[in-house]
Amino acid sequence: MSKFAVVTVGPLTSVQDGGRYGAQRYGLTSSGAMDLVALAAANTLVGNPPAAAGIEIGPFPASFEVRAGSVRIAVAGAGREIKIDGHMLPPATSAVLAEGHRLDIGAARSGVFSILGIEGAVQGRPLFGSLSVTARAGVGSPFPRPLQAGDELELLEASTAPEQQLMFDQPMRADLRVLPGPQAGEFGEAFALFLASEWTISSTSDRMGYRLDGPTLSHLKGHDIVSDGTVNGSVQVPGNGQPIVLMRDRGTTGGYPKIATVIGPDLGILAQRRAGQTVTFTEIGIEEAQDEARRFAQMIRSLPDHLRAVRTGPNTDALHGANLAGHAVNAFDAATWQSTHDDEH
Amino acid sequence: MPSPSPRIVPCSEAALVVEFGDTIDEAINRKVLGLDRAIAQAKIAGIIETVPTYRSLLVHYDPLALSFAQLSAQIEPLANTVTTEPGSRRCWRVPVVYGGEYGIDLEEVAKARGLSPEDVIRLHTGGHYYVAMLGFLPSFAYLAGLDPRLASPRRREPRAVTPAGTISIGGVQAGIQCLAAPSGWHLLGRTPVRTYHPGREPVFLIEPGDAVRFYAIDPREWAALDQAAEAGEPVAELVAS
């Protein structure tokens, strides 16, 4: 086993996978990565199944260090600078970190959440099939809380597989597709106002919900309903008329009317919108939404087709040998790595 | 009089909701729990999980396995013929330390309802409750069956934190709260029982539809029971209802 330590970390950084299913009837929410495409991309780069557990990193910088063994990593999602022992790693590229190597992930320059994918996935004890952290419920593994400086994760040793680059652009759109919510009828004309307006992401948004600022949406029958179930993407409207899109750490039930639901394929796009940025909503029907779900699943499945093995230098075998001996190889600047390696020894 | 047909509507591309009504009503909730059981028995491929609430059943499913139209067509006959018979025959006996630091609102509730604290305890332990739904937080049990003499409007100012194990009442509902959480309900006591314990099998002790009875214990019993519950003992006793 390798040892991977958290050196510095901001809030909103936790182990997440595809989510936890089967416990919502007990009030335990599903959690999971805010951007499932980023999760799948990072996992694909390191040879994992698309929903395997990785480390979700919020908008702030984070750094890690390998304390024993070697670890293959890849970062996907928000745009940010990645450095291994001070050397830049190109975006969407895997790399092996050897013992003593430090991984510095800069603040997000675009988007909000990144996934640090780890070959062999984060190791832990699943609850209902998932390692995902739900901080409010004290659930998740190996730590039932967001990561803190000093935490050490036990990971599998990196394999000798070649490094990969993912030639794939994450889907982007500012016009998110919604289905009418189960209480859309309780809003009358406010439903049309919801669709016609531009909404600004509030700075109080988090993994539970993204609050939207815009015109006031009035309820026809008041803002209290008898609680019923919520889903990822439910757009609920509390008494102040400002909608909240429920995200992965939402409560399983809620007592505010739900005007709409952001479809699953567009929820990760919303997750990457920063406070102050705007979104609009377009209504689609259930059949189109389910077609989109199939297209989304197909896109995730086809990610490995967009991988390109990266040359690891003029003498691949020698570099692999170096890798095995505990030296990371930067796909695009093998010479730099070689010289670093020489300096060290 | 035939009851109106339940409403089945999409909730997302991967969930639908079956609505039996829009009020807190035991008859409606019994139908929700009845449909939940019927769907579990029908073993419909593609259903991921169901979430029963007071008045509706949320069904999460895989849209790659079946469409909204296909799933509603399978659920509709089950929803139209659902029984309101209680499904669960099991009952949890839950120990509670009432009043004092364990239930800081006991005296106030008694005064407001024109009762003595002993009356409140007697009425609360005398109730035949069942779990209408679990939600809000892991294993927060919303119980139907509160004696109407105890019904109390929620506090004007919700508390930011109430302790794990809180036994409370709010409106016509009673509750068992497993984790520390904000609450606007009235705190009558605390139970050492962990209705939810991530390190125990089963992780969740009680199911929607289960019956619940409370019994009073002495504060001196708290420490030992609390320790046993933390170690993974159910502490609550399971009996046939």
Side-chain angles (χ1 to χ4, degrees), chain A residues 181-328:
Chain A
Q183 288 88 31
E186 295 188 16
F187 289 89
E189 286 173 7
F191 184 68
L193 180 63
F194 169 70
L195 294 175
S197 306
E198 190 170 66
W199 299 95
T200 305
I201 314 275
S202 147
S203 57
T204 54
S205 299
D206 58 20
R207 280 186 49 91
M208 284 181 69
Y210 275 32
R211 289 163 193 274
L212 305 177
D213 297 327
T216 301
L217 301 175
S218 355
H219 309 75
L220 297 179
K221 298 197 276 184
H223 61 263
D224 273 326
I225 59 167
V226 174
S227 286
D228 73 345
T230 66
V231 297
N232 292 329
S234 283
V235 184
Q236 65 174 25
V237 184
N240 66 5
Q242 300 293 281
I244 302 170
V245 187
L246 300 186
M247 304 301 272
R248 307 267 168 204
D249 283 354
R250 74 197 143 81
T252 52
T253 59
Y256 296 120
K258 296 174 281 294
I259 194 170
T261 308
V262 178
I263 65 167
D266 289 359
L267 202 55
I269 298 171
L270 174 63
Q272 297 290 17
R273 303 292 286 175
R274 300 161 73 108
Q277 289 186 323
T278 58
V279 289
T280 54
F281 298 101
T282 298
E283 182 186 356
I284 62 170
I286 181 65
E287 282 171 22
E288 189 182 346
Q290 298 199 316
D291 283 344
E292 287 304 318
R294 279 184 282 273
R295 260 195 284 279
F296 185 77
Q298 178 53 35
M299 174 185 76
I300 299 281
R301 268 198 305 272
S302 68
L303 280 176
D305 302 343
H306 302 278
L307 285 176
R308 194 183 70 174
V310 207
R311 275 166 46 82
T312 48
N315 183 342
T316 308
D317 287 345
L319 286 171
H320 272 153
N323 241 346
L324 281 175
H327 301 283

Side-chain angles (χ1 to χ4, degrees), chain A residues 159-181:
Chain A
S159 73
T160 59
E163 302 306 344
Q164 303 282 347
Q165 189 176 33
L166 190 62
M167 312 299 284
F168 169 81
D169 289 323
Q170 277 200 232
M172 288 294 278
R173 55 190 301 153
D175 192 31
L176 307 175
R177 292 162 295 183
V178 294
L179 287 166

Side-chain angles (χ1 to χ4, degrees), chain A residues 21-27 127-128 137 139 179 182 225-226 228-231 253 261 263-264 286 290 294 297, chain B residues 7 11-13 22 36 49-50 53 55-56 58 60-61 63-64 67-68 133-134 136-139 196 203-204 207:
Chain A
Y21 297 94
Q24 294 192 70
R25 63 189 288 103
Y26 304 111
L127 180 70
F128 286 85
V139 163
L179 287 166
I225 59 167
V226 174
D228 73 345
T230 66
V231 297
T253 59
T261 308
I263 65 167
I286 181 65
Q290 298 199 316
R294 279 184 282 273
Chain B
R7 196 170 80 108
C11 203
S12 77
E13 79 287 352
D22 56 8
D36 186 47
E49 60 183 312
T50 55
T53 61
R55 43 100 168 222
S56 65
L58 181 65
H60 293 273
Y61 65 98
L64 275 57
S67 69
F68 171 70
M133 61 177 274
L134 297 160
F136 170 54
L137 277 174
S139 208
Y196 158 68
V203 172
F204 296 98
E207 290 281 338

Side-chain angles (χ1 to χ4, degrees), chain B residues 18-101:
Chain B
V18 186
E19 264 185 30
F20 287 92
D22 56 8
T23 52
I24 293 187
D25 177 325
E26 208 172 306
I28 291 172
N29 182 245
R30 293 281 186 198
K31 286 186 191 174
V32 171
L33 295 173
L35 179 62
D36 186 47
R37 286 194 306 279
I39 286 179
Q41 280 158 13
K43 296 198 189 333
I44 300 168
I47 289 183
I48 296 167
E49 60 183 312
T50 55
V51 184
T53 61
Y54 268 108
R55 43 100 168 222
S56 65
L57 184 71
L58 181 65
V59 182
H60 293 273
Y61 65 98
D62 177 5
L64 275 57
L66 75 183
S67 69
F68 171 70
Q70 287 167 331
L71 183 55
S72 351
Q74 292 192 63
I75 288 179
E76 208 176 347
L78 301 175
N80 285 330
T81 56
V82 73
T83 78
T84 53
E85 289 301 302
S88 176
R89 291 289 169 205
R90 61 183 204 167
C91 174
W92 295 99
R93 289 188 71 240
V94 175
V96 179
V97 179
Y98 284 94
E101 60 179 293

